[in-house]
Amino acid sequence: MCGIIGYTGKGDAKEIMLDALELLEYRGYDSAGIALLKDGRTQMIKRAGRVKDLRNLCARINPEGQCGIGHTRWATHGGVCDENAHPHRFGSVTLIHNGIIENYRELIDKYELEGSLISETDSEVVAAVLQHFYQGDPYSAIRRTVLKLKGTFALAIMFDDQPDQIFAVRNVSPIVVAATADGAILSSDVAAIVPFTTDYFVMPELHVVCLKPDKIEMYDLSGDHAKIDWLKVDWDVSRSGKGGYPFYMEKEIMEQPQVIGETILPRVKEGMPDFSEEGIPDPVFADCKRICVIACGTAMHAGLVGKSLIQWVIGIHVDVVMASEFMYNDPVVDKDTLVIAISQSGETIDTLEALKFARKCGSPSISIVNVKGASIARASEYVIYTNAGPEIAVASTKAYTTQLAVLYLITARMALARGIWDEQKAKAFMEELLRVPGVIERVLETKEEIHRLAGCIINARDVFMIGRGLDYSILLEGSLKLKEVSYIHSEAYASGELKHGTIALITEDTPVIAMVTQEKLKSKELSNIREVQSRGARVVLLMKEGETLNEGEQWSCVYRLPVMEDPFMVMPASVVLQLIAYYVSLDKGLDVDKPRNLAKVVTVE
Ligand code: F6R
């Protein structure tokens, strides 16, 4: 996790890094720090707290320099305190680190570092090992150190006697590099580079990059010059700010009609789903005997919707596996299993590792990724990008609905490739899919009504969400969203499962959000709602416009969803749940975009 930045050039490195760290804060916000190298001296300023606290500290100290490295931390090894904040320094070596060094204990013993370290971090140990090997040749010291490290790392390093130069090396954890108008920059994320340029490259693993004010050089670990593959950021840079909204989360929810449209439209040719731009041949869709979706959190919830769609239309078995559990259950994947990895960041380490394992087993793979050129995109055979643009709020919203959009497209292409649907059937499905942006627009127009609905749960300690089938899948995501941004305990339950224990928790103080959008499940759902009502629960009901569950029934809190074909109701319903979570968090006065303990990119297992 952790955000990293490095800059060398003619600019004010402190200001450049502080601005970048603010953009990177979504990666972790336990502490922040910078180090500046000037005239052979390195000055470090760091502290527990947010980047704004670091900025205040820098304003008092006013460090100067045109070459520096900076870090915003999500704590792994060692608690949240000033000492454990990055950068770390040992002798003449200063570094920042993203990742986890698994053998740091062994390294402490081997290099007799006990008693000479200031922090509790694994990162300081790396600085000490680098110093051990450093005899004036940074490349040699980095090479020799890297060979001793076990684990994941993205390191940006400065040596006191290497003026204006930043060195970087990585394994798994990402680093992107770019030239600016007056220097060179590196970061954990493209987001920090976008204000300077749209040209960048992703550092390959186990290569060493040296940034100089006028040059960027890259070598492999044998010391040979390596070729740089430049990429272009192709999202609209103007989308990077908050656009007048108080929080990114609201802005990103409001962007959904546009970005869903931008995800679907380039993949529709003459009314048909089309992945020729992605180069995915039809046999990939036609030949698989089963599908295994691997993903975490929100992305996994998108996978659950994909499972329902594919099993319904195609009739083949789909497993959705939490990537973090994948390796612990003796995964069974083979050449007949199409693996679909879903990830907004494209960097979630569990998803990446599971995908790599599946590829080793011979599985064909497609990844659905938002961030261009991310590790998961590069590790899979084919990639379909969600065109959601940068998602900055820690709670995922637009990435989720664009992932869903891609899963609808995959379902339709698969049905055509396997001869299950004729063109007419596929066209009708695509027409409904193309209605989604407009339907979501209608939901967004009612956001004040949804704000009032949020008032029904804001004071609750626990909230339950109940539904069946697709409704249950969406509620899992709605419940995660509520938990993460409002800190209200919430559980999504398959309605039929309630009676098997959980109904014991329902009291008059427990609001229950019930979702009824699937015609075939309506009557069963109604009985389940009655069961919780009879135990005193206050039910907030989400159902289609123009429908009643029962004539004459009184509902205190109802939201009417614009009508789509049943398999598409997940789209408008998800947006309502996102807005409920958002407004509860907003009205509780919480930091909506940066919920406690979380980080946007999960690069540790
Ligand atoms: C929740 C959320 C997380 C992510 C999960 C996977 O709002 O954002 O649950 O979905 O950490 O991240 P990606 O999609 O980047 O692999």
Side-chain angles (χ1 to χ4, degrees):
M1 336 244 301
C2 307
I4 64 180
I5 183 76
Y7 168 83
T8 181
K10 296 202 181 94
D12 178 343
K14 172 193 66 170
E15 284 306 317
I16 289 171
M17 290 194 293
L18 288 172
D19 290 349
L21 289 178
E22 255 158 24
L23 293 172
L24 295 174
E25 221 178 8
Y26 67 110
R27 274 190 161 254
Y29 27 88
D30 292 332
S31 59
I34 58 170
L36 291 157
L37 173 60
K38 190 173 180 231
D39 304 329
R41 273 192 59 239
T42 300
Q43 188 176 9
M44 244 179 9
I45 301 167
K46 58 183 190 169
R47 57 167 299 171
R50 297 279 171 101
V51 175
K52 67 175 181 340
D53 304 315
L54 177 69
R55 200 183 273 281
N56 289 339
L57 187 60
C58 288
R60 287 207 295 280
I61 299 170
N62 203 17
E64 285 180 5
Q66 294 178 315
C67 174
I69 52 179
H71 189 269
T72 172
R73 177 171 188 245
W74 188 83
T76 53
H77 281 69
V80 178
C81 60
D82 293 352
E83 290 75 26
N84 291 340
H86 294 222
H88 291 287
R89 186 164 163 75
F90 200 101
S92 64
V93 176
T94 311
L95 61 71
I96 49 176
H97 168 221
N98 175 17
I100 289 188
I101 305 301
E102 289 162 13
N103 60 337
Y104 79 106
R105 261 271 129 227
E106 290 154 40
L107 295 172
I108 291 177
D109 295 340
K110 185 172 167 81
Y111 297 101
E112 296 172 358
L113 299 172
E114 200 68 71
S116 56
L117 300 169
I118 297 166
S119 76
E120 303 158 302
T121 65
D122 50 344
S123 315
E124 190 186 1
V125 177
V126 182
V129 177
L130 272 164
Q131 179 61 50
H132 173 86
F133 287 123
Y134 186 58
Q135 283 165 352
D137 179 354
Y139 292 100
S140 157
I142 292 171
R143 265 196 300 275
R144 294 178 71 185
T145 302
V146 161
L147 294 175
K148 304 285 176 207
L149 302 181
K150 284 196 191 125
T152 58
F153 49 86
L155 297 163
I157 311 155
M158 296 190 304
F159 299 86
D160 286 355
D161 59 350
Q162 303 291 332
D164 306 324
Q165 294 180 53
I166 301 169
F167 296 85
V169 64
R170 77 175 192 99
N171 180 41
V172 183
S173 310
I175 297 185
V176 291
V177 184
T180 68
D182 61 3
I185 194 163
L186 67 77
S187 178
S188 46
D189 291 50
V190 174
I193 280 179
V194 165
F196 298 95
T197 175
T198 51
D199 297 310
Y200 72 104
F201 68 93
V202 181
M203 261 190 80
E205 285 175 357
L206 302 179
H207 283 61
V208 182
V209 161
C210 175
L211 268 65
K212 298 179 181 169
D214 58 349
K215 208 182 325 168
I216 297 169
E217 292 166 341
M218 185 164 75
Y219 300 89
D220 61 23
L221 276 195
S222 345
D224 292 330
H225 228 278
K227 188 176 155 286
I228 292 175
D229 285 331
W230 290 93
L231 298 169
K232 225 177 191 26
V233 179
D234 60 357
W235 65 48
D236 179 359
V237 175
S238 65
R239 279 210 205 140
S240 307
K242 281 191 199 152
Y245 292 98
F247 287 100
Y248 280 106
M249 185 174 176
E250 183 174 351
K251 179 196 170 224
E252 289 163 5
I253 290 173
M254 299 305 287
E255 276 176 352
Q256 287 177 109
Q258 184 189 343
V259 296
I260 292 171
E262 287 170 5
T263 300
I264 300 171
L265 285 170
R267 283 132 188 168
V268 184
K269 302 263 156 68
E270 292 169 11
M272 293 291 141
D274 184 287
F275 289 113
S276 50
E277 287 289 310
E278 285 77 14
I280 311 179
D282 266 354
V284 172
F285 297 115
D287 295 347
C288 56
K289 297 204 172 80
R290 56 185 279 260
I291 293 179
C292 177
V293 178
I294 43 181
C296 293
T298 292
M300 189 203 60
H301 294 154
L304 291 172
V305 174
K307 173 185 165 98
S308 299
L309 292 173
I310 295 170
Q311 291 197 165
W312 162 59
V313 177
I314 314 292
I316 60 171
H317 183 79
V318 183
D319 282 314
V320 180
V321 190
M322 259 179 235
S324 54
E325 283 290 305
F326 185 78
M327 295 309 292
Y328 313 132
N329 283 306
D330 303 310
V332 183
V333 284
D334 56 20
K335 64 176 184 27
D336 295 324
T337 314
L338 173 62
V339 165
I340 303 181
I342 310 178
S343 174
Q344 187 286 128
S345 63
E347 300 296 346
T348 301
I349 190 158
D350 290 317
T351 310
L352 179 61
E353 292 303 314
L355 172 64
K356 284 183 180 164
F357 175 87
R359 288 211 66 187
K360 273 196 204 129
C361 298
S363 301
S365 56
I366 299 177
S367 61
I368 302 174
V369 172
N370 193 39
V371 176
K372 308 279 159 17
S375 306
I376 291 172
R378 284 179 289 116
S380 67
E381 210 175 346
Y382 302 103
V383 52
I384 304 171
Y385 284 112
T386 45
N387 294 334
E391 190 180 66
I392 305 295
V394 166
S396 185
T397 52
K398 61 178 181 168
Y400 171 70
T401 47
T402 52
Q403 286 159 357
L404 294 182
V406 171
L407 289 162
Y408 284 96
L409 288 164
I410 288 179
T411 307
R413 188 71 234 169
M414 199 170 261
L416 277 173
R418 296 171 93 98
I420 294 170
W421 281 353
D422 57 16
E423 289 206 352
Q424 206 186 343
K425 210 125 190 235
K427 246 187 190 146
F429 185 87
M430 294 303 291
E431 272 163 22
E432 194 62 0
L433 182 59
L434 288 164
R435 281 186 60 222
V436 168
V439 169
I440 292 186
E441 196 78 67
R442 283 190 49 208
V443 172
L444 296 175
E445 280 161 14
T446 66
K447 65 179 185 168
E448 278 319 311
E449 187 189 340
I450 301 171
H451 196 162
R452 283 193 292 278
L453 223 53
C456 302
I457 59 171
I458 191 165
N459 295 317
R461 205 192 59 177
D462 309 288
V463 173
F464 283 87
M465 302 196 185
I466 58 169
R468 287 172 180 256
L470 272 176
D471 288 340
Y472 170 53
S473 302
I474 322 165
L475 290 169
L476 282 169
E477 172 55 14
S479 166
L480 174 64
K481 217 82 315 173
L482 184 66
K483 275 188 275 244
E484 70 179 325
V485 299
S486 76
Y487 312 147
I488 294 177
H489 166 249
S490 144
E491 297 288 343
Y493 252 81
S495 310
E497 197 59 22
L498 264 187
K499 289 190 274 293
H500 300 286
T502 313
I503 202 160
L505 297 175
I506 303 284
T507 68
E508 280 147 32
D509 299 323
T510 326
V512 173
I513 298 182
M515 172 99 71
V516 190
T517 72
Q518 305 295 302
E519 186 58 37
K520 61 182 180 204
L521 304 172
K522 208 164 114 182
S523 60
K524 284 196 193 333
E525 187 56 36
L526 177 61
S527 319
N528 299 135
I529 294 174
R530 290 238 174 76
E531 286 157 13
V532 294
Q533 275 181 323
S534 349
R535 270 109 197 139
R538 287 172 290 127
V539 174
V540 177
L541 179 63
L542 308 187
M543 65 185 299
K544 285 180 183 167
E545 262 169 3
E547 277 201 351
T548 48
L549 280 183
N550 206 11
E551 290 306 328
E553 193 100 45
Q554 292 298 305
W555 300 95
S556 50
C557 275
V558 188
Y559 181 85
R560 301 287 182 168
L561 294 157
V563 180
M564 299 199 75
E565 297 289 334
D566 282 4
F568 293 88
M569 285 306 295
V570 292
M571 286 294 207
S574 314
V575 176
V576 175
L577 294 169
Q578 292 168 353
L579 281 168
I580 289 178
Y582 172 72
Y583 283 123
V584 173
S585 178
L586 186 76
D587 291 348
K588 284 178 112 180
L590 300 173
D591 188 346
V592 182
D593 286 338
K594 297 191 187 88
R596 69 182 173 219
N597 303 337
L598 293 175
K600 183 78 183 158
V601 189
V602 183
T603 51
V604 292
E605 284 169 317

